Amino acid sequence: MVKKLIRLNFGKTTLPETMIHSGGREGQSVPIVFSFFLLLTENKKILVDAGCDTMPGFVMTDFIGPVSALKNKGFSPANITDVIITHAHHDHIEGVKHFKNAKIHIQREEFAREGKNFIPKEFEVCLFDEKTELEGVRAVKIGGHSDGSCVIEFQLNGKKRVICGDECYTKYNIENFVPTATSHNPKMSQMFLEKYCRGDYLCILCHEE
């Protein structure tokens, strides 16, 4: 059971509106944040994603990386028990190398596609197919943003919540039921929106607070 959720911001940039959603305006930019999350349970300190130390090709502001973001909240990488990766894109997984004491949980296709290139070989890796659960924190495969992209379900203070990974970038996607324009499988992204964004869940975004 989750006792506390902590957002860890480690940088900011902008994305073209044409990436945020289909039909986005050419030449328009949307401000985004880069976040990962710490979930505290009775026995575990679980990171959802691991952030990154570099962001090639992006003009970043307030960029501090995952270790500093964690330390700013009073936590050490050495104390993290588990890391759940929503998907194996650079900004969500590169920082996993810092969490050597943690078990790394990642969807099987995501590990095979890109995850294995980021996770040190000596780390303990726990692969799953459709879902996995740790003390009330459940990773569920969607496969919209990438082959094995996942979202994270949990309850906090009696309310159902979902960390969306990159199935949504901003509230625009949620409020208009429009997948991102970078979806690998728009059909699965649309199914995500229908399941999670109709009011049953509070959606938590990685790229917008």
Side-chain angles (χ1 to χ4, degrees):
M1 180 178 177
V2 174
K3 296 183 175 296
K4 191 172 184 179
L5 163 70
I6 300 171
R7 177 185 285 271
L8 301 160
N9 291 344
F10 62 97
K12 299 176 182 176
T13 192
T14 62
L15 285 181
E17 193 175 278
T18 51
M19 288 181 64
I20 299 296
H21 60 87
S22 299
R25 297 167 293 176
E26 294 286 346
Q28 295 294 314
S29 295
V30 176
I32 65 165
V33 299
F34 288 83
S35 304
F36 62 117
F37 301 89
L38 176 60
L39 299 177
L40 304 180
T41 71
E42 187 70 35
N43 301 301
K44 293 182 179 293
K45 295 179 176 66
I46 303 170
L47 284 186
V48 176
D49 290 333
C52 61
D53 294 304
T54 63
M55 203 59 200
F58 287 80
V59 178
M60 302 292 294
T61 59
D62 301 328
F63 191 68
I64 60 173
V67 172
S68 293
L70 197 60
K71 288 182 176 179
N72 285 347
K73 297 293 186 179
F75 295 91
S76 165
N79 300 134
I80 299 303
T81 61
D82 300 85
V83 180
I84 304 175
I85 301 297
T86 62
H87 63 290
H89 288 169
H90 179 95
D91 57 312
H92 291 258
I93 194 175
E94 188 210 13
V96 73
K97 61 193 176 188
H98 298 297
F99 304 103
K100 61 183 180 180
N101 295 333
K103 294 180 181 180
I104 313 302
H105 306 264
I106 184 169
Q107 201 276 337
R108 193 177 304 276
E109 293 165 81
E110 286 296 291
F111 179 76
R113 183 176 59 84
E114 289 189 42
K116 63 184 179 183
N117 299 323
F118 290 99
I119 303 172
K121 289 181 170 48
E122 66 272 20
F123 279 26
E124 183 176 356
V125 178
C126 303
L127 302 180
F128 63 94
D129 292 308
E130 296 301 320
K131 63 183 68 173
T132 191
E133 186 165 345
L134 306 170
E135 295 197 2
V137 179
R138 178 183 294 178
V140 179
K141 177 186 173 184
I142 302 296
H145 185 65
S146 62
D147 285 335
S149 59
C150 297
V151 298
I152 311 300
E153 301 176 356
F154 62 99
Q155 289 197 31
L156 180 61
N157 299 327
K159 295 182 179 180
K160 294 196 294 185
R161 302 164 193 260
V162 59
I163 297 174
C164 299
D166 276 1
E167 297 300 337
C168 296
Y169 288 143
T170 71
K171 295 182 181 71
Y172 183 96
N173 303 112
I174 295 170
E175 292 168 355
N176 294 278
F177 301 98
V178 177
T180 71
T182 60
S183 178
H184 167 74
N185 186 332
K187 180 180 177 181
M188 298 308 297
S189 295
Q190 193 68 49
M191 288 178 63
F192 160 80
L193 292 167
E194 294 297 328
K195 177 177 179 180
Y196 292 98
C197 302
R198 293 290 185 187
D200 289 341
Y201 287 83
L202 174 62
C203 293
I204 302 166
L205 300 171
C206 294
H207 295 297
E208 186 176 69
E209 295 188 74

